[in-house]
PDB file of all heavy atoms in Angstrom:
ATOM      1  N   LEU A 229      16.713 -21.304 -15.620  1.00  0.00           N
ATOM      2  CA  LEU A 229      17.480 -20.532 -14.723  1.00  0.00           C
ATOM      3  C   LEU A 229      18.936 -20.997 -14.625  1.00  0.00           C
ATOM      4  O   LEU A 229      19.886 -20.299 -14.591  1.00  0.00           O
ATOM      5  CB  LEU A 229      16.877 -20.590 -13.323  1.00  0.00           C
ATOM      6  CG  LEU A 229      15.526 -19.813 -13.102  1.00  0.00           C
ATOM      7  CD1 LEU A 229      14.943 -20.214 -11.693  1.00  0.00           C
ATOM      8  CD2 LEU A 229      15.678 -18.372 -13.200  1.00  0.00           C
ATOM      9  N   HIS A 230      19.049 -22.292 -14.823  1.00  0.00           N
ATOM     10  CA  HIS A 230      20.408 -22.980 -14.787  1.00  0.00           C
ATOM     11  C   HIS A 230      21.062 -22.568 -16.065  1.00  0.00           C
ATOM     12  O   HIS A 230      22.291 -22.051 -16.051  1.00  0.00           O
ATOM     13  CB  HIS A 230      20.229 -24.505 -14.650  1.00  0.00           C
ATOM     14  CG  HIS A 230      21.499 -25.192 -14.440  1.00  0.00           C
ATOM     15  ND1 HIS A 230      22.251 -25.570 -15.463  1.00  0.00           N
ATOM     16  CD2 HIS A 230      22.103 -25.589 -13.359  1.00  0.00           C
ATOM     17  CE1 HIS A 230      23.290 -26.202 -15.004  1.00  0.00           C
ATOM     18  NE2 HIS A 230      23.227 -26.324 -13.724  1.00  0.00           N
ATOM     19  N   ASP A 231      20.458 -22.810 -17.195  1.00  0.00           N
ATOM     20  CA  ASP A 231      21.156 -22.703 -18.533  1.00  0.00           C
ATOM     21  C   ASP A 231      21.321 -21.207 -18.920  1.00  0.00           C
ATOM     22  O   ASP A 231      22.343 -20.787 -19.381  1.00  0.00           O
ATOM     23  CB  ASP A 231      20.341 -23.381 -19.583  1.00  0.00           C
ATOM     24  CG  ASP A 231      20.332 -24.915 -19.331  1.00  0.00           C
ATOM     25  OD1 ASP A 231      21.022 -25.446 -18.536  1.00  0.00           O
ATOM     26  OD2 ASP A 231      19.555 -25.565 -20.087  1.00  0.00           O
ATOM     27  N   GLU A 232      20.201 -20.377 -18.733  1.00  0.00           N
ATOM     28  CA  GLU A 232      20.285 -18.977 -19.243  1.00  0.00           C
ATOM     29  C   GLU A 232      20.917 -18.092 -18.300  1.00  0.00           C
ATOM     30  O   GLU A 232      21.749 -17.296 -18.655  1.00  0.00           O
ATOM     31  CB  GLU A 232      18.767 -18.463 -19.505  1.00  0.00           C
ATOM     32  CG  GLU A 232      18.190 -18.807 -20.743  1.00  0.00           C
ATOM     33  CD  GLU A 232      18.992 -18.229 -21.934  1.00  0.00           C
ATOM     34  OE1 GLU A 232      19.128 -17.001 -22.028  1.00  0.00           O
ATOM     35  OE2 GLU A 232      19.623 -19.025 -22.719  1.00  0.00           O
ATOM     36  N   CYS A 233      20.590 -18.209 -16.981  1.00  0.00           N
ATOM     37  CA  CYS A 233      21.184 -17.328 -15.999  1.00  0.00           C
ATOM     38  C   CYS A 233      22.460 -17.940 -15.385  1.00  0.00           C
ATOM     39  O   CYS A 233      23.126 -17.204 -14.594  1.00  0.00           O
ATOM     40  CB  CYS A 233      20.197 -17.022 -14.921  1.00  0.00           C
ATOM     41  SG  CYS A 233      18.635 -16.305 -15.461  1.00  0.00           S
ATOM     42  N   ASN A 234      22.883 -19.099 -15.936  1.00  0.00           N
ATOM     43  CA  ASN A 234      24.204 -19.653 -15.449  1.00  0.00           C
ATOM     44  C   ASN A 234      24.215 -19.844 -13.932  1.00  0.00           C
ATOM     45  O   ASN A 234      25.311 -19.564 -13.291  1.00  0.00           O
ATOM     46  CB  ASN A 234      25.304 -18.723 -15.890  1.00  0.00           C
ATOM     47  CG  ASN A 234      25.630 -19.093 -17.292  1.00  0.00           C
ATOM     48  OD1 ASN A 234      25.784 -20.282 -17.678  1.00  0.00           O
ATOM     49  ND2 ASN A 234      25.789 -18.065 -18.151  1.00  0.00           N
ATOM     50  N   PHE A 235      23.198 -20.231 -13.256  1.00  0.00           N
ATOM     51  CA  PHE A 235      23.277 -20.508 -11.836  1.00  0.00           C
ATOM     52  C   PHE A 235      23.581 -22.008 -11.596  1.00  0.00           C
ATOM     53  O   PHE A 235      22.750 -22.891 -12.056  1.00  0.00           O
ATOM     54  CB  PHE A 235      21.904 -20.206 -11.152  1.00  0.00           C
ATOM     55  CG  PHE A 235      21.793 -18.735 -10.882  1.00  0.00           C
ATOM     56  CD1 PHE A 235      20.852 -17.931 -11.464  1.00  0.00           C
ATOM     57  CD2 PHE A 235      22.636 -18.112  -9.929  1.00  0.00           C
ATOM     58  CE1 PHE A 235      20.738 -16.588 -11.188  1.00  0.00           C
ATOM     59  CE2 PHE A 235      22.528 -16.751  -9.616  1.00  0.00           C
ATOM     60  CZ  PHE A 235      21.573 -15.993 -10.256  1.00  0.00           C
ATOM     61  N   PRO A 236      24.751 -22.324 -11.109  1.00  0.00           N
ATOM     62  CA  PRO A 236      24.986 -23.731 -10.832  1.00  0.00           C
ATOM     63  C   PRO A 236      24.123 -24.359  -9.784  1.00  0.00           C
ATOM     64  O   PRO A 236      23.940 -25.514  -9.707  1.00  0.00           O
ATOM     65  CB  PRO A 236      26.483 -23.753 -10.459  1.00  0.00           C
ATOM     66  CG  PRO A 236      26.680 -22.429  -9.893  1.00  0.00           C
ATOM     67  CD  PRO A 236      25.782 -21.499 -10.577  1.00  0.00           C
ATOM     68  N   TYR A 237      23.785 -23.520  -8.816  1.00  0.00           N
ATOM     69  CA  TYR A 237      23.067 -24.059  -7.636  1.00  0.00           C
ATOM     70  C   TYR A 237      21.663 -23.435  -7.504  1.00  0.00           C
ATOM     71  O   TYR A 237      21.584 -22.161  -7.401  1.00  0.00           O
ATOM     72  CB  TYR A 237      23.819 -23.737  -6.340  1.00  0.00           C
ATOM     73  CG  TYR A 237      25.306 -24.171  -6.443  1.00  0.00           C
ATOM     74  CD1 TYR A 237      26.282 -23.272  -6.048  1.00  0.00           C
ATOM     75  CD2 TYR A 237      25.717 -25.498  -6.832  1.00  0.00           C
ATOM     76  CE1 TYR A 237      27.609 -23.587  -6.098  1.00  0.00           C
ATOM     77  CE2 TYR A 237      27.062 -25.760  -6.897  1.00  0.00           C
ATOM     78  CZ  TYR A 237      27.971 -24.826  -6.546  1.00  0.00           C
ATOM     79  OH  TYR A 237      29.299 -25.221  -6.609  1.00  0.00           O
ATOM     80  N   ILE A 238      20.700 -24.220  -7.583  1.00  0.00           N
ATOM     81  CA  ILE A 238      19.296 -23.756  -7.515  1.00  0.00           C
ATOM     82  C   ILE A 238      18.513 -24.745  -6.608  1.00  0.00           C
ATOM     83  O   ILE A 238      18.578 -25.876  -6.724  1.00  0.00           O
ATOM     84  CB  ILE A 238      18.649 -23.780  -8.897  1.00  0.00           C
ATOM     85  CG1 ILE A 238      19.404 -22.915  -9.893  1.00  0.00           C
ATOM     86  CG2 ILE A 238      17.212 -23.325  -8.761  1.00  0.00           C
ATOM     87  CD1 ILE A 238      18.903 -22.956 -11.319  1.00  0.00           C
TER      88      ILE A 238
END
Side-chain angles (χ1 to χ4, degrees):
L229 290 169
H230 188 277
D231 295 349
E232 273 300 293
C233 301
N234 278 314
F235 280 113
Y237 310 131
I238 300 174

